[in-house]
């Protein structure tokens, strides 16, 4: 089946007629999902032109009505949740319970956006002059270029597209090449909801979808003078480039980049809970989350016992196709991703004194040979300067480090260029509060895994994880709108601020 782009309300192939294949990472040769357009710069420019045109009308639709569109989007997603999740597992591998969670995060974001249409609060302040009123309110910005990754193919696009639309912007969406099907479904749902809610007022081009490569489609969005905002989630390398070019062009840029998240376990913690959390944080989504636990910092006093239990539990994790019952861990998303994981394991094996206790190979038993499976892997005696303690791996590999006390644990946790998520397990209330204060991360969990942020809270990180913006909740609406100050003078005379009154 050949899928299409959506440009100016019309589903159409790319201008060069080229396609790329989308396949199931759990059974690569046997399951072709579809062919998706490998679009060109010309396609992007056409989509941007449509978005620019549509902006003229969309910005004038009252925000509560724009919110009604998002309410309808949430309702359709809710009705189709299982089907969306099944297809998402098929295209990117994580298990069905998790793709349902991914879809739910999109539904939560839709309903939040729907209600935000009735808020988008402005602020008023008194004037320094008599018979004069000062107001300020939020206005849309223009055309938003949305570039998203494959690991949360529904949730992440919704975090960006929904607030962009509610604020009155129009969108050109370039999804990851690996997960085009979920993107198609999302855009089809938005378009359906637009038609239903707006009826005769339907505006083609408010949401446009252009499939293809980052090096072509992403670059064209970045280069376009008609794109005012870029929101990107992905690697720090690409994020730096977007920030450089976007900075030059004065585009507003929001970046969610890498992570090297850690979980600390103190000796007074509930060990079973800490164990459940690290299994979920490190190997859920096959470790392919920006928020994944890729370092475990264990206090010396509990290290050996904890590691022993952890290895026992990790060996029991069941690998397989995520739509099959009882599967804990799906495949890596692609052959290239699995190879990267293996390269890091080889690097780990060469690190001075680090020891691999389990995993470290392609998983090939039975049906696993059909997909890009990798055995969940644990390294112990990892030192903060080892590459496997520093670099983002984005796969099922956990590096365990030792610490001597709370200060030392936090020092190790902070010894990374990234700062997205973090976690500490302790029953000592003083230690917990010190950790909240001193951990350098956008997200800190007390007695919870590093993954599982909620859609209505600020999401993002410090240091090289981003450029200071947050997604989620109320914070993302700041990014997609700007402030307009309005002065209303009803005195009937010229009043000169700063001059006539002082
Ligand atoms: C990501 O990996 O980029 O907090 C997003 C979490 C999810 C979102 C992860 N709600 O783990």
């Amino acid at each position: 089946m050949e899928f299409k782009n959506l440009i100016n309300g019309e589903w159409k192939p790319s201008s060069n007629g080229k396609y790329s294949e989308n396949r199931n990472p759990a059974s690569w040769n046997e399951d072709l999902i579809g062919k998706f357009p490998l679009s060109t710069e010309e396609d992007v420019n056409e989509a941007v032109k449509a978005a620019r045109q549509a902006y003229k009308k969309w910005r004038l639709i009252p925000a509560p009505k724009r919110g009604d569109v998002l309410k309808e989007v949430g309702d359709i997603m809710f009705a189709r949740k299982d089907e969306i999740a099944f297809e998402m597992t098929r295209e990117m591998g994580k298990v069905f319970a998790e793709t349902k969670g991914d879809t739910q995060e999109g539904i939560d974001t839709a309903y939040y956006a729907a209600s935000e249409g009735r808020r988008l609060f402005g602020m008023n302040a008194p004037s320094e002059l008599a018979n004069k009123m000062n107001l300020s309110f939020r206005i849309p910005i223009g055309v938003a270029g949305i570039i998203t990754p494959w690991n949360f193919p529904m949730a992440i696009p919704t975090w960006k597209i929904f607030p962009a639309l509610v604020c009155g912007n129009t969108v050109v969406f370039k999804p990851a090449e690996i997960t085009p099907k979920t993107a198609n479904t999302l855009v089809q749902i938005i378009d359906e909801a637009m038609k239903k809610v707006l009826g005769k007022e339907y505006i083609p081009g408010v949401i446009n979808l252009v499939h293809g490569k980052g090096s072509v489609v992403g670059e064209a969005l970045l280069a376009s003078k008609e794109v005012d905002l870029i929101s990107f989630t992905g690697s720090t390398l690409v994020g730096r480039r977007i920030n450089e070019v976007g900075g030059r062009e004065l585009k507003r840029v929001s970046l969610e980049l890498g992570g090297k998240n850690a979980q600390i376990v103190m000796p007074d913690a509930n060990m079973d809970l800490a164990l459940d959390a690290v299994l979920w944080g490190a190997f859920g989504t096959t470790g392919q989350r920006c928020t994944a636990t890729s370092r475990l910092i264990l206090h010396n006093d509990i290290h050996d016992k904890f590691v022993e239990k952890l290895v026992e539990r990790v060996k029991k994790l069941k690998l397989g196709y995520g739509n099959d019952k009882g599967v804990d861990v799906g495949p890596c998303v692609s052959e290239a991703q699995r190879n990267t994981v293996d390269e890091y394991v080889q690097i780990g094996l060469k690190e001075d004194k680090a020891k691999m206790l389990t995993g470290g190979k392609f998983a090939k038993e039975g049906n696993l040979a059909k997909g890009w499976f990798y055995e969940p892997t644990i390294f112990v005696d990892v030192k903060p300067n080892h590459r496997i303690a520093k670099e983002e791996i984005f796969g099922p590999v956990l590096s365990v480090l030792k610490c001597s006390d709370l200060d030392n644990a936090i020092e190790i946790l902070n010894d990374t260029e990234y700062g997205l998520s973090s976690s500490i397990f302790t029953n000592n209330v003083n230690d917990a509060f010190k950790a909240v204060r001193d951990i350098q991360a956008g997200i800190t969990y007390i007695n919870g895994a590093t993954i599982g942020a909620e859609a209505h809270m600020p999401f993002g990180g410090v240091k090289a994880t981003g450029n200071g913006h947050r997604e989620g909740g109320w914070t993302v609406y700041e990014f997609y709108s700007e402030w307009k100050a309005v002065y209303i003078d009803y005195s009937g005379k010229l009043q000169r601020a700063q001059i006539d009154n002082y």
Side-chain angles (χ1 to χ4, degrees):
M1 162 116 186
E2 283 164 3
F3 288 80
K4 298 188 168 82
N5 292 326
L6 180 68
I7 298 178
N8 204 21
E10 217 184 300
W11 291 95
K12 50 201 274 192
S14 64
S15 51
N16 61 7
K18 288 194 181 155
Y19 291 91
S20 69
E21 287 183 352
N22 181 21
R23 290 179 172 274
N24 180 341
S27 60
W28 191 253
N29 289 322
E30 290 174 11
D31 191 12
L32 173 65
I33 295 166
K35 293 182 172 183
F36 288 82
L38 269 176
S39 312
T40 62
E41 190 179 342
E42 200 183 317
D43 298 322
V44 174
N45 290 339
E46 196 188 334
V48 171
K49 202 169 147 208
R52 198 34 59 215
Q53 204 53 32
Y55 175 64
K56 291 183 190 161
K57 290 188 181 158
W58 179 245
R59 72 180 188 90
L60 299 177
I61 301 278
K65 182 112 189 196
R66 297 196 296 250
D68 291 347
V69 172
L70 274 304
K71 161 76 170 58
E72 182 64 27
V73 168
D75 289 349
I76 303 173
M77 285 173 74
F78 182 75
R80 293 179 58 182
K81 184 172 166 182
D82 282 10
E83 167 224 325
I84 293 170
F86 183 91
E87 287 300 312
M88 198 194 305
T89 294
R90 198 176 151 216
E91 96 171 330
M92 61 71 71
K94 66 185 175 187
V95 300
F96 185 59
E98 291 189 31
T99 48
K100 277 207 318 194
D102 189 323
T103 310
Q104 184 60 44
E105 211 163 328
I107 296 167
D108 296 341
T109 304
Y111 291 150
Y112 191 103
S115 63
E116 193 58 27
R118 291 187 180 270
R119 283 190 295 265
L120 286 178
F121 292 137
M123 280 211 269
N124 307 325
S127 170
E128 63 186 54
L129 290 157
N131 296 320
K132 190 178 166 200
M133 191 182 283
N134 295 355
L135 312 173
S136 74
F137 55 92
R138 306 232 295 268
I139 55 173
I141 299 175
V143 175
I146 305 290
I147 307 174
T148 57
W150 46 263
N151 66 333
F152 274 78
M154 183 58 87
I156 293 178
T158 69
W159 292 356
K160 300 176 190 295
I161 294 172
F162 295 174
L165 292 177
V166 168
C167 287
N169 307 288
T170 54
V171 168
V172 180
F173 171 30
K174 181 248 170 284
E177 212 190 326
I178 296 180
T179 48
K181 175 112 193 257
T182 306
N184 247 69
T185 305
L186 172 62
V187 170
Q188 177 263 312
I189 289 172
I190 297 172
D191 196 50
E192 182 184 330
M194 289 266 179
K195 286 187 171 130
K196 185 160 173 208
V197 173
L198 298 178
K200 286 202 188 83
E201 279 185 297
Y202 172 77
I203 307 161
V206 173
I207 172 86
N208 301 275
L209 170 69
V210 185
H211 289 290
K213 291 191 178 305
S215 56
V216 180
V217 177
E219 284 293 335
L221 273 175
L222 193 56
S224 171
K225 300 253 183 260
E226 299 289 326
V227 173
D228 307 283
L229 306 123
I230 299 270
S231 180
F232 169 78
T233 298
S235 73
T236 298
L237 192 75
V238 174
R240 283 188 202 279
R241 162 145 182 89
I242 292 177
N243 215 23
E244 263 171 42
V245 179
R248 230 177 10 246
E249 298 294 327
L250 297 181
K251 288 190 200 309
R252 189 180 275 216
V253 172
S254 173
L255 303 169
E256 288 301 337
L257 310 173
K260 190 70 190 174
N261 317 294
Q263 174 180 317
I264 296 171
V265 185
M266 298 300 286
D268 55 73
N270 176 335
M271 292 302 149
D272 291 333
L273 187 61
L275 200 59
D276 285 344
V278 68
L279 278 164
W280 172 226
F283 303 111
T285 326
T286 321
Q288 301 174 123
R289 291 197 193 208
C290 311
T291 51
T293 312
S294 58
R295 295 178 296 151
L296 174 65
I297 304 171
L298 295 177
H299 192 280
N300 283 325
D301 293 354
I302 48 115
H303 177 275
D304 294 357
K305 192 141 189 111
F306 196 95
V307 165
E308 191 187 313
K309 282 194 185 163
L310 178 63
V311 171
E312 221 173 87
R313 291 276 300 272
V314 168
K315 283 186 173 157
K316 288 193 189 131
L317 291 174
K318 188 167 155 36
L319 271 59
Y321 176 37
N323 277 327
D324 289 344
K325 285 218 160 58
V327 170
D328 299 306
V329 181
C332 297
V333 76
S334 64
E335 185 176 20
Q337 197 64 32
R338 183 174 71 165
N339 290 344
T340 304
V341 170
D342 194 52
E343 276 162 30
Y344 271 106
V345 168
Q346 302 314 317
I347 289 166
L349 288 168
K350 288 192 201 103
E351 308 268 30
D352 184 33
K353 294 202 177 75
K355 275 202 301 280
M356 191 178 74
L357 295 187
T358 185
K361 325 194 262 304
F362 294 174
K364 291 197 157 164
E365 287 152 44
N367 280 339
L368 299 182
K370 295 180 183 174
W372 312 124
F373 291 92
Y374 201 87
E375 289 185 357
T377 303
I378 296 178
F379 281 95
V380 290
D381 294 330
V382 178
K383 301 288 173 296
N385 65 330
H386 288 167
R387 281 183 65 190
I388 55 169
K390 283 188 154 341
E391 295 172 27
E392 186 174 46
I393 300 174
F394 230 66
V397 180
L398 179 69
S399 298
V400 184
L401 298 96
K402 284 183 185 149
C403 68
S404 51
D405 57 23
L406 180 72
D407 287 344
N408 180 228
I410 294 176
E411 193 186 333
I412 295 169
L413 185 145
N414 287 341
D415 186 10
T416 163
E417 65 170 314
Y418 301 113
L420 181 54
S421 189
S422 56
S423 144
I424 179 166
F425 280 76
T426 178
N427 282 325
N428 180 322
V429 70
N430 297 341
D431 283 357
F433 276 94
K434 278 185 199 148
V436 167
R437 184 192 60 197
D438 294 338
I439 285 176
Q440 295 162 356
I443 305 169
T444 295
Y445 291 88
I446 305 296
N447 295 329
T450 61
I451 67 178
E454 300 173 25
H456 58 288
M457 290 285 284
F459 183 92
V462 302
K463 304 198 278 188
T465 291
N467 62 343
H469 291 290
R470 291 290 180 272
E471 308 207 80
W474 61 98
T475 46
V476 70
Y477 290 84
E478 286 288 335
F479 176 74
Y480 289 104
S481 60
E482 53 195 348
W483 288 97
K484 175 159 200 158
V486 181
Y487 300 96
I488 303 164
D489 193 319
Y490 52 96
S491 68
K493 56 184 186 211
L494 179 70
Q495 300 197 87
R496 298 178 304 173
Q498 298 99 28
I499 296 171
D500 292 338
N501 47 338
Y502 286 102

